[in-house]
Amino acid sequence: MNRGRREIEGDGTVKDTARIATCPPISAALKRAAPAASLLLIAALALPGSSALAATATLRPNGAGDSTQWTASAGTNWSCVTYNDGDTRYVYTSTYLNADQYAMEDLSAAGTISAVRAYFQARRSGTFSTTNLRYGINSGGTEATSTSNLTGSYVLYGGAANFCEWTRDPATGSAWTLSGVNALQTLVRHNQNNARQERVTEVYLEVDFTTPTPTRSPTPPPTATPSPSATP
């Protein structure tokens, strides 16, 4: 995936580029931000011995989910977590077990879906020690989550490093389907009974999938034009 890949933005611009657990934050090297409600496709070279292309789509919140129990700093809850702008827009709660869920952008097309990962930018508020956040996905009513102790600064949690990568749909135990991915909701839940405020400023999914290489029909050879016969 990291070799000879291209980044394809939502507008078609191509840029060349060279279980439940308590987990530590992702390292700073893995942090990144992207425009709100955008779709990023990272298209790699064709897989060896195959006509498929590997790609990764980034899906962001685009509506409210099944639960809206946190408070928005401005506007709607889901619009406060579309991208990382720190404390400009965020959702927050101090209530134990309060949950927020978000509907996500659809994956427009995919062949074989190999993995789904969820990511969350979050922090605690105040100078107290730690407080715990639960985060993950809701697939058809089945939650798959992890937990982390928050720090006083925003940190990106999730992905494989925080047990937030799933190669199968938690609701079915089977391989991911396009409809299953498009029905996913992301979720955050206050996970410590301490009345301490938790904040989330960004939520997104990454989906790994393959697409078949378009098959080109062979071009028929040109038809020879007969030479004109001499007039007797």
Side-chain angles (χ1 to χ4, degrees), residues 75 87 142:
D87 281 338
T142 298

Side-chain angles (χ1 to χ4, degrees), residues 64-156:
D66 292 343
S67 178
T68 306
Q69 296 178 329
W70 290 42
T71 301
S73 63
T76 59
N77 288 34
W78 69 266
S79 67
C80 285
V81 295
T82 52
Y83 68 102
N84 179 18
D85 57 4
D87 281 338
T88 300
R89 295 187 308 166
Y90 58 93
V91 294
Y92 63 95
T93 189
S94 302
T95 304
Y96 178 50
L97 298 181
N98 264 12
D100 237 20
Q101 300 190 47
Y102 313 107
M104 307 298 288
E105 294 174 322
D106 283 349
L107 183 63
S108 58
T112 300
I113 300 170
S114 55
V116 173
R117 292 178 296 278
Y119 294 91
F120 307 82
Q121 287 272 4
R123 77 175 183 91
R124 68 170 191 260
S125 178
T127 58
F128 46 80
S129 55
T130 61
T131 187
N132 193 265
L133 175 71
R134 183 174 298 280
Y135 51 86
I137 58 174
N138 177 351
S139 177
T142 298
E143 294 185 0
T145 62
S146 186
T147 67
S148 288
N149 291 326
L150 303 184
T151 68
S153 300
Y154 280 111
V155 173
L156 182 64

Side-chain angles (χ1 to χ4, degrees), residues 175-222:
W176 286 105
T177 62
L178 183 61
S179 61
V181 169
N182 289 344
L184 280 177
Q185 295 182 20
T186 49
L187 71 93
V188 292
R189 180 177 289 115
H190 195 296
N191 199 49
Q192 193 163 348
N193 191 7
N194 55 15
R196 295 170 178 173
Q197 188 183 109
E198 300 180 348
R199 298 183 180 185
V200 176
T201 189
E202 181 184 33
V203 175
Y204 63 93
L205 295 174
E206 285 185 346
V207 184
D208 293 341
F209 63 97
T210 57
T211 57
T213 303
T215 302
R216 296 184 178 181
S217 301
T219 303

